[in-house]
């Protein structure tokens, strides 16, 4: 006896039509600009940043919140964008690595002070993890501007550099922190 089976990927004749994905309008404040995005509510923040807003500086690494390549600032605090739904970021201020170049110098085509310190200290290695380290450092220095080398070293341990270039990364953050402290008005009065 011969039996004929239906191909496994073909829907049965009486099967209901596949449902269209649920979509949601989200309003996101990214790098000081308001963006309206219509997407599935289950999409992560990193996916929306990269695929909807084309801010590809934020990298996708492990997608489990371990490596830190996707680190962005949400209300000035470093978060793993692969672990956060984009919908959870509505109403918050989101900063990506693209914001750094326009931050301190005001021109989008110039590197910010933290980026320059990374370049000067050769803290880039292969560069894949660099955006995550930059955003981690930006959030850390905003919260702890007087951090010492040991505190910086402890902070950067939260992200992974597969090239193991931690020493130049620590030196770059330390250099930037020192320059920012020297530029503070209270530091200039002491001179």
């Amino acid at each position: 006896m011969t039996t004929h089976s239906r191909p496994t990927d073909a829907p049965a004749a009486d099967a209901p039509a596949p449902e269209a994905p649920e979509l949601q309008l989200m309003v996101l404040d990214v790098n000081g600009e308001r963006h309206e995005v219509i997407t599935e509510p289950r999409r992560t923040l990193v996916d929306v940043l990269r695929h909807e807003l084309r801010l590809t500086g934020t990298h996708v690494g492990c997608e489990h919140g371990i490596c830190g390549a996707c680190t962005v600032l949400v209300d000035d605090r470093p978060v793993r964008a692969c672990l956060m739904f984009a919908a959870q970021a509505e109403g918050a201020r989101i900063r990506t690595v693209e914001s750094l170049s326009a931050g301190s110098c005001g021109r989008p085509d110039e590197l910010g002070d933290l980026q320059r310190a990374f370049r000067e200290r050769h803290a880039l290695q292969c560069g894949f993890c660099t955006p995550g380290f930059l955003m981690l450092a930006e959030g850390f220095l905003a919260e702890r501007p007087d951090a010492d080398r040991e505190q910086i070293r402890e902070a950067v341990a939260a992200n992974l550099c597969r090239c193991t270039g931690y020493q130049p990364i620590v030196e770059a953050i330390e250099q930037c922190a020192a320059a920012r402290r020297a530029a503070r008005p209270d530091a200039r009065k002491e001179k």
Side-chain angles (χ1 to χ4, degrees), residues 68-116:
C70 65
T71 302
V72 298
L73 299 183
V74 175
D75 286 337
D76 301 323
R77 301 193 64 114
V79 301
R80 307 288 207 232
C82 71
L83 295 181
M84 182 177 210
F85 291 118
Q88 292 175 299
E90 277 195 291
R93 292 181 324 276
I94 303 161
R95 285 185 62 200
T96 68
V97 71
E98 287 87 353
S99 72
L100 295 180
S101 61
S104 60
C105 56
R107 291 183 46 189
D109 58 339
E110 288 188 13
L111 297 178
D113 59 349
L114 186 57
Q115 293 168 310
R116 286 193 308 271

Side-chain angles (χ1 to χ4, degrees), residues 3-16:
T3 59
H4 297 279
S5 63
R6 173 175 53 81
T8 56
D9 58 343
D14 58 345

Side-chain angles (χ1 to χ4, degrees), residues 49-68:
L49 291 171
R50 289 184 57 85
H51 302 293
E52 303 294 334
L53 303 181
R54 302 290 181 208
L55 295 170
T56 56
T58 304
H59 290 174
V60 180
C62 66
E63 297 185 77
H64 296 291
I66 296 170
C67 75

Side-chain angles (χ1 to χ4, degrees), residues 6-74:
R6 173 175 53 81
T8 56
D9 58 343
D14 58 345
E19 292 184 30
E22 178 185 347
L23 298 177
Q24 177 180 344
L25 171 65
M26 298 177 203
V27 180
L28 300 175
D29 176 352
V30 183
N31 300 334
E33 294 182 18
R34 183 177 186 264
H35 297 271
E36 292 184 355
V37 179
I38 298 174
T39 190
E40 296 177 57
R42 64 187 176 106
R43 291 195 74 191
T44 61
L45 180 57
V46 71
D47 283 340
V48 169
L49 291 171
R50 289 184 57 85
H51 302 293
E52 303 294 334
L53 303 181
R54 302 290 181 208
L55 295 170
T56 56
T58 304
H59 290 174
V60 180
C62 66
E63 297 185 77
H64 296 291
I66 296 170
C67 75
C70 65
T71 302
V72 298
L73 299 183
V74 175

